[in-house]
Amino acid sequence: MRYLDPPSARTLRLVGEQLPGRPRLRHVRQFRGGLGCTNDLVEVVGDAPGAVPAAVLRRYGPGHGARGPAAAVREAAALRLAATGGCPVPVVLWSSEGTGTRPFPEAALLLGYVAGSPWHTPTDQLGWAHRLADAAAAIHRVQVGREESPQLHDRSRHAVMAEAAPSDRFRTHPLGDALWHRRRELFEGGTIGAEDQRTLVHNDFHPGNLLWLEEEITAVVDWEEAAYGDPVADIAYCASDMHYLGMDDAAKHFTARYVEQTGRSLDGYEAWMIVALCRPLPDIGRWLPSWQETGRPELSANELRDRYDGLVERVLQATAT
Ligand SMILES: Nc1ncnc2c1ncn2[C@@H]1O[C@H](COP(=O)(O)OP(=O)(O)O)[C@@H](O)[C@H]1O
Ligand SMILES: [Mg+2]
């Protein structure tokens, strides 16, 4: 993963000047481990909004390009909504998509810093899965109306149906073609993607996007894909991540605890698992650096590929008509 250069003192001054109280922002360090954005920790010196001593500058680059501004708007809307609903999330301090001048070429948000970091090595895996399930349940309790939050429009069905044929990332994996066709059938047949059962959905809910401190969750981060959608999508996606890490029992416990906690059925779980399995393509190995940076340096790309292929085969079988 390539990251952007740290923000200059001049650009940080421009951001600070757009904050209430005009605090000074000082660069501390860059976070590693993310796959989408460049996140920098900054110290807030002076009259900070809400008296936060530190903040995270989140820039939608270098991979985002033209999609950056829409992602920033979506993420800010989701963070505000999740906070209102009582979910643990960073506070939004500033957005480049507001009315002020744009200090950076790319879209950016300034978020309150939350102490904690991703945790992929629990000894009590079931307790860990239990907390993850409760965090998902809290997100899915947030009701969101389409009119109320047009920024959170769900693009999943539209994006799948707009693709006329498998793209390169599907064609270069031996199981990619089968996944692409199955995903399309499931949306087309209405197994998933219907308009009922809609809540706030994170859409990138996996252990690496939660911050933990002393075995408790302090924040859910990385909301740039959040939408008004089917909550089962988050559950299947998070469980798929646990399977890649070899934590099959944790995945089982996660889903069971979620059902117990919410009373929801997991209709469409396997179908959403197909959608989840499309995400790492063309090669789950490209996600390896993120896990290696966040506590799993021993993982190998081949081990991930074996688990991934095994799961794809199982889920293709389970969803065959
Ligand atoms: N508000 C925050 N407070 C503290 N750390 C954060 C915050 N936002 C991001 N981070 C750090 O940056 C890392 C990557 O953040 P994330 O939002 O997942 O970015 P990406 O989109 O690049 O995956 C997190 O694992 C965490 O260590
Ligand atoms: Mg992330």
Side-chain angles (χ1 to χ4, degrees):
M1 161 79 190
R2 274 192 324 117
Y3 295 97
L4 298 166
D5 289 338
S8 67
R10 192 186 68 84
T11 50
L12 286 179
R13 196 172 60 241
L14 288 173
V15 176
E17 283 167 2
Q18 292 181 37
L19 297 174
R22 301 163 67 92
R24 198 164 67 78
L25 304 180
R26 198 181 62 81
H27 185 255
V28 179
R29 70 182 171 93
Q30 195 156 80
F31 289 105
R32 291 289 143 113
L35 289 172
C37 286
T38 301
N39 295 290
D40 286 274
L41 177 64
V42 297
E43 186 189 353
V44 182
V45 188
D47 265 347
V52 290
V56 173
L57 178 70
R58 176 167 173 78
R59 286 173 294 160
Y60 295 79
H64 278 78
R67 286 182 300 114
V73 168
R74 181 177 288 269
E75 179 151 19
L79 281 165
R80 291 194 178 107
L81 197 67
T84 312
C87 301
V89 289
V91 61
V92 181
L93 302 172
W94 171 85
S95 166
S96 63
E97 306 314 295
T99 50
T101 48
R102 285 171 133 267
F104 312 101
E106 59 282 337
L109 295 181
L110 188 72
L111 306 176
Y113 169 77
V114 180
S117 48
W119 185 36
H120 285 120
T121 52
T123 38
D124 172 16
Q125 291 190 9
L126 301 192
W128 174 80
H130 189 104
R131 287 176 179 75
L132 282 162
D134 290 358
I139 293 170
H140 299 158
R141 270 195 291 272
V142 181
Q143 298 294 323
V144 38
R146 241 173 316 180
E147 310 71 32
E148 181 192 323
S149 278
Q151 308 91 332
L152 297 178
H153 176 67
D154 179 22
R155 298 164 303 177
S156 54
R157 184 173 200 282
H158 175 79
V160 166
M161 298 315 287
E163 217 176 80
S167 54
D168 280 353
R169 71 186 191 92
F170 286 90
R171 285 204 304 268
T172 47
H173 189 283
L175 298 165
D177 219 52
L179 273 176
W180 189 91
H181 283 98
R182 184 61 49 77
R183 186 180 65 164
R184 196 176 169 90
E185 275 164 33
L186 291 165
F187 275 106
E188 209 161 36
T191 307
I192 48 175
E195 295 285 318
D196 51 353
Q197 276 264 354
R198 300 247 153 174
T199 68
L200 179 62
V201 176
H202 182 283
N203 272 332
D204 198 10
F205 187 86
H206 64 83
N209 276 335
L210 281 94
L211 309 183
W212 299 75
L213 193 67
E214 290 167 4
E215 309 199 357
E216 297 297 336
I217 292 165
T218 53
V220 185
V221 297
D222 208 348
W223 290 78
E224 68 187 64
E225 296 179 70
Y228 170 76
D230 184 342
V232 182
D234 275 348
I235 303 309
Y237 180 70
C238 188
S240 70
D241 210 85
M242 293 179 191
H243 288 303
Y244 304 147
L245 293 171
M247 297 161 109
D248 292 358
D249 288 346
K252 222 190 221 165
H253 189 75
F254 169 72
T255 52
R257 169 68 188 176
Y258 178 81
V259 169
E260 179 187 300
Q261 187 66 358
T262 59
R264 284 179 199 280
S265 79
L266 286 185
D267 285 352
Y269 177 78
E270 270 97 9
W272 282 116
M273 189 65 93
I274 290 283
V275 177
L277 289 162
C278 291
R279 303 249 313 238
L281 287 172
D283 174 19
I284 190 145
R286 75 191 174 91
W287 287 2
L288 181 65
S290 172
W291 282 306
Q292 287 185 328
E293 292 273 359
T294 53
R296 298 292 300 265
E298 83 296 350
L299 280 178
S300 76
N302 282 338
E303 171 184 12
L304 290 173
R305 289 176 188 132
D306 286 348
R307 293 204 195 103
Y308 174 82
D309 290 355
L311 185 60
V312 172
E313 275 159 12
R314 282 209 302 281
V315 182
L316 280 172
Q317 215 159 46
T319 52
T321 44

